Structure formats: structure tokens, C-alpha cells
Amino acid sequence: MRILGIETSCDETAVAVIQDGERILSNVVNSQIDIHRQYGGVFPEVAARQHVVSIAPVVRQALTDAAVTLDDIDAIAVTYGPGLVGSLLVGVNVAKGIALATGLPLVAVNHLEGHIYSNWARPLEAATSWEPPQLPALTLIVSGGHTDLILMREHGVYEPLGHTIDDAAGEAFDKVARLLGLGYPGGPAIQKVAVQGDPQAFAFPLVCLERFNFSFSGLKTAVLRQVQRLEEVAGGGSDPHRRLKDYRPGLLGRQTVADLAASFQRALVETLVVQTKRAAAEYKVAQVCVCGGVSANVQLRQRIREALPLPVSVPPLYLCTDNAAMIGVAGSYAFGRGEISGLDLDVVARPPLPQRLPSSGPGQDV
Ligand code: KG4
Ligand code: ZN
């Protein structure tokens, strides 16, 4: 079985071919980061227009790389949300066009479910002994828009255990990077300068809310206040009403910025690790899976593997940030369950994760 996956929810035009639910035959990602950098973030209308320009060549490239044609494909899986509506519309309409022209079934995939299933894609460099994650699994989704802890007792069935009540982890990285004048996207920029910094230089708060919820807005504000204090000392006459977006470069030295970045990164990563460890212990899962753009963070990958006393799956870097291989894998599972969409499929800006019933729920027990 071969699935063509299409992903255009944000600023990556991505198409992949997946075989038998896990093998990546091709995985093409056309990133718009260089275009959006000048705006300090994703400019939605520009993103949608760029998807229009890129999508056809990217589809062609993915088929060529996989050495297949549309005749070899069994279904088209496409992200319908969450994401930017204009961007999502490009992928969904191209998927519908291909489905209409070929008669292939259309499978709608939730972008977050795609991130979860990035852990079930066999990495290209995996040894032949590679095994997919075991269930029940605890999944930590850390992306630009989400920070969620989700329990998965069986495929496709999600029990939310915790979420962020304010900023997502990636959003916090992006906002603090802007504050420190490190540019967009913030996660990789902070990670890079943090290597030169002392993670103990500033004691930023670790906020671990009840149950398994997160809050990163206090951490972001703590960094802002610290920057204001340091600017004052540096003689810059810091403005107490200064906000995150009003960065004035040059007042803080290179080492101070590195120390701030390293201390912020440490606090955020430790918060994620502490909450994930607590949830994994309470629900006695077999495995922890981490996914989403922030799972590309080297500190998070290292610390969560060190700190948790059970197997931790983190996808290779090229499957952490947005890609279509994960959409193809999630789409393969959905297709296997017979989840076919009509050509009236519409995009949804903020859908929740699909709510499927457990196969042996209450009342079905024998
Ligand atoms: O999953 P993703 O590519 O897009 C969304 O679905 O949101 O995640 C993007 C987020 C951005 O906030 C970016 O700063 C963050 O992932 N990110 C990182 C790293 N690489 C990307 N955060 C921390 N460390 C990284 N190395
Ligand atoms: Zn994403």
C-alpha cells in the first residue's frame, strides 16, 4: 500500500510517499523560512501564495524520488488543520484535484496526529531491527502552536492529559529569541547561541501546573524582566514598559545573551521533562514519544532520554519539524480504518485531535 502525503499547514510545502504505513519512499520539504525571516514570523498571505507556486513541483519531485507514478498510489492523505487557513486550502485543493482526476480515495489528516505518527515512520537511517513505539505510549507534542501530553492506549485513540494554558513551547522559544535579537525561527537560534552560555547563570522559574498542564508565559516574562535589569546596569536606561517586541539590539553583550538563552532553554526543557516524567509514572506507559518542531532541540532530546526510566522515541530531525512523511504515516493508519473523506472536505483552523472510540470501551467488554 502506498500513500501520497501532502502538508501545507504553515510555511513548509511538503509531499511524501509512504509504503506499508512506515517506509519513507520520498520526503520532499520546500521551506519558506528564508522568505518569512524578514517579517520576523510567518506572513500568512505570503505563505499561501508561496504554497501555490511550490506545490506542483513538490508533488512531482516526491513521485520522482519515490520512483513511482500516481498509478502506484492507493490514497491521498492531506492535512486539513490545524494551521493557517489560506495555506491549508492549497494542500487540500491539490489533494482533491488529484483525487478527482485519478479516482483515488482522499484521507483527511489532523496535523497534530501527523506529528504523533512521525514516531511511527521508520527513519531512513534505521537499522533493520527498528521497531515502532510500543503502546500504551505517552506523547509529548511540542510545536509552534501546541504543548500537549497525550495518552495513547491504542492507535488513533487519544486521551489528553495536559496542555499549555498560555504560550506553546515553540512560541516561547520564538518570542524569547525575538527579545534577545536572535531572529526567526527562534528555537534553532536560541539552541545555537545557548551552546556558548551558562544554563545556571539565571534562575528562571520552572512552572509545573497541577495535573499535567504547562504555562510558559511566566518564564517569558522572567526573561524580559531580567533583560530590563541588565540593560539598566549596562546604562541603557531601560524602559520598564518595554515589551517583548520592542527589542533594541546592542545593549547586552554576546556572553550575556548566550547565558540568557542557555538559562531560558534549560528552564523550558526541564519543565517539559518533569511533567512528562510525572505523567509517564502515573499512567505506567510502555514508552514515551516526543514530537513537533521543538523535539528537534538537542537539549530536550538528551535530557528527556536521560531523565526517563523507560524507552523514549524522538524522531530524526527531518521528521520533527513540519513534513509530509508524518501525514502519510498517519494517513495510512486512517486509511486502514476506512476513514475516507468526500470531495467536500474543508479546512479547519483549530480542530481538536480526532475523537475515536476505544475498540474495547465500557459496555463492549466481554
Ligand atoms: O512543528 P513545527 O515545525 O510547526 C508547527 O506545527 O508549529 O514547529 C515549529 C516550532 C517553532 O516555534 C520553532 O522555533 C521550533 O519549532 N523549533 C525549535 C527547534 N527547531 C524548531 N525549538 C527549539 N529548538 C529547536 N532546535
Ligand atoms: Zn507542525
Side-chain angles (χ1 to χ4, degrees), residues 9 111 115 143 292-293 320-322 326:
S9 68
H111 181 77
H115 274 304
S143 69
C320 291
T321 44
D322 290 348
M326 67 187 197

Side-chain angles (χ1 to χ4, degrees), residues 9-12 111-112 115 142-146 169-171 173-174 184-188 191 265 292-298 320-322 326:
S9 68
C10 190
D11 60 343
E12 259 95 29
H111 181 77
L112 292 181
H115 274 304
V142 271
S143 69
H146 289 83
E171 196 179 352
F173 266 105
D174 292 339
Y184 169 85
Q191 174 176 303
Q265 179 176 255
V294 180
S295 65
N297 185 269
V298 173
C320 291
T321 44
D322 290 348
M326 67 187 197

Side-chain angles (χ1 to χ4, degrees), residues 210-254:
E210 54 177 340
R211 293 307 297 155
F212 304 108
N213 290 332
F214 300 92
S215 166
F216 294 116
S217 126
L219 171 59
K220 178 189 69 186
T221 309
V223 180
L224 172 63
R225 298 280 171 259
Q226 187 62 54
V227 167
Q228 287 170 333
R229 277 194 290 273
L230 291 165
E231 284 180 341
E232 200 98 50
V233 172
S238 186
D239 170 6
H241 303 296
R242 178 177 175 290
R243 289 172 305 164
L244 278 170
K245 54 185 173 55
D246 309 324
Y247 174 70
R248 288 173 299 155
L251 279 180
L252 300 181
R254 194 199 275 269

Side-chain angles (χ1 to χ4, degrees), residues 329-358:
V329 175
S332 304
Y333 280 82
F335 185 53
R337 286 188 292 264
E339 294 174 9
I340 311 292
S341 293
L343 288 177
D344 56 350
L345 171 67
D346 200 0
V347 304
V348 188
R350 281 192 213 89
L353 272 168
Q355 285 156 17
R356 305 183 185 97
L357 291 175

Side-chain angles (χ1 to χ4, degrees), residues 310-323:
L310 71 169
V312 177
S313 165
V314 193
L317 295 181
Y318 56 86
L319 295 179
C320 291
T321 44
D322 290 348
N323 64 87

